Amino acid sequence: MAFYSSAKYVFFAFLFLCSTQLQANDFKPFYEQSELGKIDWDEGMIYGVGKGYLKHNRHSKIHALRAARALAFQSIVKLAATVKVNDRNTITEFGNGSMLVHLEAFVSGYEEVGNRSVDGSNPYIEITYRVPLHGVNGVGAKLLEKVGMVQKGDDFTLAEAEDEVWLVLDAREVSGKQVSPALFPKIVSATETLYQVDKSLDKASLVTRGMASYVSTNERLEGAAPGDKSAWIEHILSIVVADAHAGERKKRRRYIVKKVEDIKGLYNTNLVVSEADAKSIKAANNSSGILQKTRVVVVVSSAIGGIEGALEYQFGLR
């Protein structure tokens, strides 16, 4: 009987290895886009664009460049204001609106990543700035500092093996609803909250990569073998692949794939999973810290083509 039981689990393990071919490069970045620029929820960056038109700047490239840089910064601030913190607040609304006063300071760590001149009947100079959502200088870290969850000077060193287990939540087939990215989303079931921003999360993980990345893919995502009741089989197994360049063999990232059953919250940021999947996710967290270490990827249908209020803002000095 013991031999039969072991053989059964080996068989299920074989099925899992054969069917789960998901790789990190199957994921594509997920963007919220507008005329202001974009928010990349995979990379964790806000990109703001500014255009300085020569005809409105004394036909001077120097003056147009200054205008473009000022407008790029304004675009970042405008985009940052729309970022959803959780299921109830954008950054503008966070802390009863007090964050709006400090918003410019929040995006002070911007860098220039694009600079081009566009000729034609109405020539202009276009500048692109970016500011991180995550990391020690990111918007998320500054929010966490404000609420006292982290302090300046905390150690945020993050060292992990390549083959750590990650949770993939497939939110592409929730009828009539589109998930909205948030800095601090929740994963819930009908009876409990599995994942939320609190002191149980590893600080280095929370600050360095945030609580979730949001991606899109056309791939069919598979989980564990149907009917398998053993939680361990979903997160113990690893796939060993050959390194084509070095000729070495290394482990690649491992995934537990679960389907999002519903989306909740005022801003459609909370991810609802089934009770069975909640049990499996908790087991994985107990053994590998999958939630504690914020190793979460959310798969969404496609890029969002607009951000609230963003289209009201115009680039340049037209």
Side-chain angles (χ1 to χ4, degrees):
M1 181 64 69
F3 172 81
Y4 172 78
S5 178
S6 298
K8 179 179 68 173
Y9 286 126
V10 170
F11 175 69
F12 278 126
F14 175 77
L15 287 178
F16 182 84
L17 285 168
C18 290
S19 64
T20 306
Q21 300 298 320
L22 184 62
Q23 301 182 55
N25 58 12
D26 289 329
F27 297 140
K28 306 302 179 186
F30 178 73
Y31 304 119
E32 288 183 295
Q33 301 186 52
S34 78
E35 292 183 5
L36 295 172
K38 68 182 179 182
I39 302 174
D40 184 335
W41 283 97
D42 179 28
E43 183 186 21
M45 288 283 178
I46 302 175
Y47 291 83
V49 178
K51 296 177 182 178
Y53 288 86
L54 269 65
K55 72 177 183 180
H56 295 302
N57 288 278
R58 306 177 192 175
H59 295 280
S60 165
K61 287 189 175 182
I62 294 177
H63 286 87
L65 179 61
R66 290 173 181 168
R69 285 176 171 162
L71 289 166
F73 176 73
Q74 290 178 36
S75 293
I76 283 185
V77 173
K78 195 83 168 179
L79 286 169
T82 70
V83 169
K84 296 173 182 65
V85 177
N86 50 35
D87 55 342
R88 300 179 306 278
N89 302 117
T90 62
I91 287 182
T92 302
E93 300 159 338
F94 190 72
N96 294 320
S98 64
M99 297 312 303
L100 187 60
V101 177
H102 306 289
L103 195 53
E104 290 194 10
F106 268 41
V107 299
S108 59
Y110 61 90
E111 63 174 326
E112 185 175 311
V113 293
N115 183 327
R116 67 175 184 140
S117 297
V118 179
D119 297 322
S121 60
N122 192 13
Y124 60 88
I125 295 176
E126 181 181 278
I127 298 295
T128 302
Y129 284 159
R130 74 176 180 183
V131 66
L133 286 172
H134 310 312
V136 292
N137 296 316
V139 173
K142 292 176 181 178
L143 286 173
L144 292 170
E145 287 177 12
K146 183 171 179 61
V147 299
M149 283 197 62
V150 301
Q151 305 293 328
K152 289 184 178 179
D154 284 349
D155 182 10
F156 298 124
T157 304
L158 183 61
E160 292 183 322
E162 291 180 345
D163 63 334
E164 293 286 1
V165 186
W166 286 68
L167 173 63
V168 174
L169 295 176
D170 190 347
R172 293 177 296 175
E173 298 182 4
V174 181
S175 179
K177 294 183 179 180
Q178 170 76 55
V179 65
S180 291
L183 288 173
F184 308 130
K186 294 179 182 179
I187 302 173
V188 303
S189 70
T191 59
E192 61 182 323
T193 298
L194 307 175
Y195 188 52
Q196 62 182 340
V197 59
D198 58 29
K199 293 185 177 180
S200 70
L201 302 182
D202 177 71
K203 287 184 180 180
S205 302
L206 178 59
V207 169
T208 301
R209 60 170 162 247
M211 288 187 65
S213 61
Y214 295 80
V215 300
S216 62
T217 183
N218 293 324
E219 298 295 323
R220 180 181 178 186
L221 306 182
E222 301 287 352
D228 179 28
K229 301 301 182 182
S230 58
W232 68 269
I233 201 171
E234 297 185 40
H235 57 266
I236 294 299
L237 298 173
S238 63
I239 301 173
V240 181
V241 295
D243 186 326
H245 299 288
E248 299 175 352
R249 294 178 68 82
K250 63 181 181 180
K251 293 179 179 179
R252 80 178 183 197
R253 183 181 287 183
R254 298 174 290 167
Y255 295 99
I256 300 173
V257 180
K258 299 298 181 185
K259 182 180 178 181
V260 174
E261 302 288 335
D262 199 2
I263 297 168
K264 297 289 187 181
L266 179 63
Y267 287 120
N268 288 334
T269 59
N270 294 348
L271 306 158
V272 183
V273 298
S274 69
E275 293 295 330
D277 284 347
K279 182 178 179 180
S280 177
I281 291 168
K282 287 193 295 181
N285 187 53
N286 290 337
S287 64
S288 67
I290 195 169
L291 298 180
Q292 181 187 8
K293 296 287 188 177
T294 70
R295 295 193 294 266
V296 178
V297 177
V298 182
V299 181
V300 298
S301 299
S302 61
I304 294 177
I307 300 174
E308 295 90 335
L311 297 180
E312 297 175 2
Y313 183 73
Q314 299 297 318
F315 291 122
L317 303 175
R318 302 181 186 181

